[in-house]
């Protein structure tokens, strides 16, 4: 990879890691539904100028409801439920484990020996993390969060149905498709008056966080990542996603004073180690092409 593109890959990973921090701050004032709806409403702004990609509506909806709506709404519920941001960033990246597993089950794509070892390592790490659940956050919050990497994995596989279309256009329209039902859900769950009150009394800090999450983390970073995957083999690009949980965890420790007990820290490192084995194996090209927060 060119040095400039390496810098872009590192920058995208840092943006996605820091987006977990921005999400946590925004959730202090906004409900998970409203925060996620605003995220995609902002990110869908390019739909005003870019055409709908040549993808059928059923495929577009299926990808959007898993890769975007399902993944990020359950992330928001998990964080709002008390799951630490650093831990959330690690759990979300376990999507690589589920992507390879589902590809094997649904498409008969047998993982290589190294990928199988990586899956086993990451699974052990998740079990170690599960052993720490129930102390500083609820089991239900963690269970909801675990839906996020599964949706992520399903969306990754569905994304194969939309190959050959401009990534920027596709990302924008996926955001629009996710934003509409999320806005309806917000009004149904929160009510019209509380929703308006939350929007009209939004602090400058939260507004800035939402602009960063929607405009930079979702819209711009996904486009840059897609461009890298267009120009280079996935095996060269995807490993940079390993930086995301490290950035998220480090930033959470600095901003929120998040600490990790020995078992949880060991579990997080084990998950990341397992993901590294999977991503760096020879068959890394079958791994997900879209990652983030």
């Amino acid at each position: 990879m060119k040095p400039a593109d390496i810098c872009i890959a590192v920058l995208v990973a840092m943006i996605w890691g820091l987006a977990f921090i921005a999400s946590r701050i925004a959730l202090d004032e906004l409900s998970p539904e409203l925060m996620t709806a605003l995220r995609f409403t902002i990110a869908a702004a390019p739909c005003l100028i870019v055409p709908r990609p040549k993808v059928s509506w059923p495929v577009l909806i299926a990808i959007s409801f898993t890769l975007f709506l399902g993944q990020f709404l359950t992330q928001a519920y998990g964080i709002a439920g008390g799951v630490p941001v650093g831990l959330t960033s690690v759990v979300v990246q376990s999507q690589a484990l589920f992507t390879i597993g589902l590809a094997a089950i649904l498409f008969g794509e047998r993982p290589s020996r190294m990928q199988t070892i990586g899956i086993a390592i990451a699974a052990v790490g998740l079990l170690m993390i599960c052993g720490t659940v129930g102390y500083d956050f609820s089991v239900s919050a963690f269970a909801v969060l675990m839906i996020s990497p599964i949706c992520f994995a399903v969306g990754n596989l569905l994304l194969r149905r939309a190959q050959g279309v401009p990534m920027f256009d596709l990302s924008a329209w996926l955001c629009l498709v996710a934003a509409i039902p999320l806005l309806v859900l917000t009004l149904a769950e929160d009510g019209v008056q509380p929703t308006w009150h939350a929007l009209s009394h939004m602090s400058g800090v939260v507004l800035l966080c939402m602009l960063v999450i929607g405009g930079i983390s979702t819209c711009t970073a996904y486009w840059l990542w897609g461009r890298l995957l267009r120009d280079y083999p996935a095996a060269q690009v995807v490993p940079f996603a390993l930086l995301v949980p490290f950035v998220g965890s480090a930033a959470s420790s600095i901003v929120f004073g998040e600490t990790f007990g020995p078992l949880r820290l060991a579990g997080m490192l084990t998950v990341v180690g397992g993901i590294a084995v999977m991503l760096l194996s020879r068959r890394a090209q079958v791994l997900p092409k879209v990652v983030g927060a």
Side-chain angles (χ1 to χ4, degrees), residues 213-264:
I213 296 169
I216 299 178
S217 175
T218 306
C219 183
T220 306
Y222 267 87
W223 167 64
L224 291 173
W225 191 257
R227 188 178 70 81
L228 291 174
L229 286 166
R230 179 198 64 194
D231 297 338
Y232 299 98
Q236 293 184 25
V237 179
V238 174
F240 284 96
L242 289 172
L243 296 174
V244 175
F246 286 107
V247 173
S249 298
S252 181
S253 296
I254 295 172
V255 177
F256 304 119
E258 182 178 346
T259 58
F260 311 101
L263 181 59
R264 181 174 297 174

Side-chain angles (χ1 to χ4, degrees), residues 87 121-133 135 142 262-271:
L87 179 59
I121 294 172
V124 170
L126 286 175
L127 290 175
M128 294 168 68
I129 292 173
C130 288
T132 70
V133 173
Y135 295 98
F142 187 74
L263 181 59
R264 181 174 297 174
L265 180 59
M268 292 168 65
L269 292 175
T270 302
V271 170

Side-chain angles (χ1 to χ4, degrees), residues 46-267:
C47 289
L48 296 172
I49 58 175
V50 299
R52 181 173 72 85
K54 294 182 179 180
V55 178
S56 68
W57 279 109
V59 172
L60 198 66
I61 292 172
I63 297 172
S64 179
F65 277 30
T66 52
L67 189 64
F68 278 179
L69 190 155
Q71 179 199 165
F72 289 103
L73 182 59
T74 52
Q75 274 186 44
Y77 278 132
I79 295 173
V83 182
V85 173
L87 179 59
T88 299
S89 65
V90 174
V91 170
V92 171
Q93 287 306 313
S94 69
Q95 53 84 19
L97 183 160
F98 295 105
T99 300
I100 294 175
L102 288 173
I105 295 171
L106 299 176
F107 303 116
E109 296 182 359
R110 289 187 59 188
S112 67
R113 178 184 296 180
M114 290 303 296
Q115 285 181 333
T116 302
I117 293 173
I119 290 173
I121 294 172
V124 170
L126 286 175
L127 290 175
M128 294 168 68
I129 292 173
C130 288
T132 70
V133 173
Y135 295 98
D136 51 343
F137 58 89
S138 67
V139 174
S140 59
F142 187 74
V144 171
L145 176 62
M146 283 304 303
I147 299 174
S148 180
I150 296 173
C151 287
F152 201 158
V154 174
N156 281 331
L157 298 178
L158 288 172
L159 196 61
R160 298 179 179 184
R161 304 286 299 276
Q163 291 184 354
V165 299
M167 177 59 68
F168 185 80
D169 298 6
L170 177 63
S171 179
W173 279 84
L174 289 175
C175 289
L176 178 63
V177 171
I180 295 172
L182 280 168
L183 289 171
V184 174
L185 177 63
T186 300
L187 295 176
E189 289 291 321
D190 299 347
V192 176
Q193 190 62 34
T195 299
W196 172 248
H197 183 272
L199 291 173
S200 60
H201 290 78
M202 189 187 308
S203 67
V205 172
V206 171
L207 176 60
L208 177 61
C209 286
M210 291 311 308
L211 291 175
V212 168
I213 296 169
I216 299 178
S217 175
T218 306
C219 183
T220 306
Y222 267 87
W223 167 64
L224 291 173
W225 191 257
R227 188 178 70 81
L228 291 174
L229 286 166
R230 179 198 64 194
D231 297 338
Y232 299 98
Q236 293 184 25
V237 179
V238 174
F240 284 96
L242 289 172
L243 296 174
V244 175
F246 286 107
V247 173
S249 298
S252 181
S253 296
I254 295 172
V255 177
F256 304 119
E258 182 178 346
T259 58
F260 311 101
L263 181 59
R264 181 174 297 174
L265 180 59

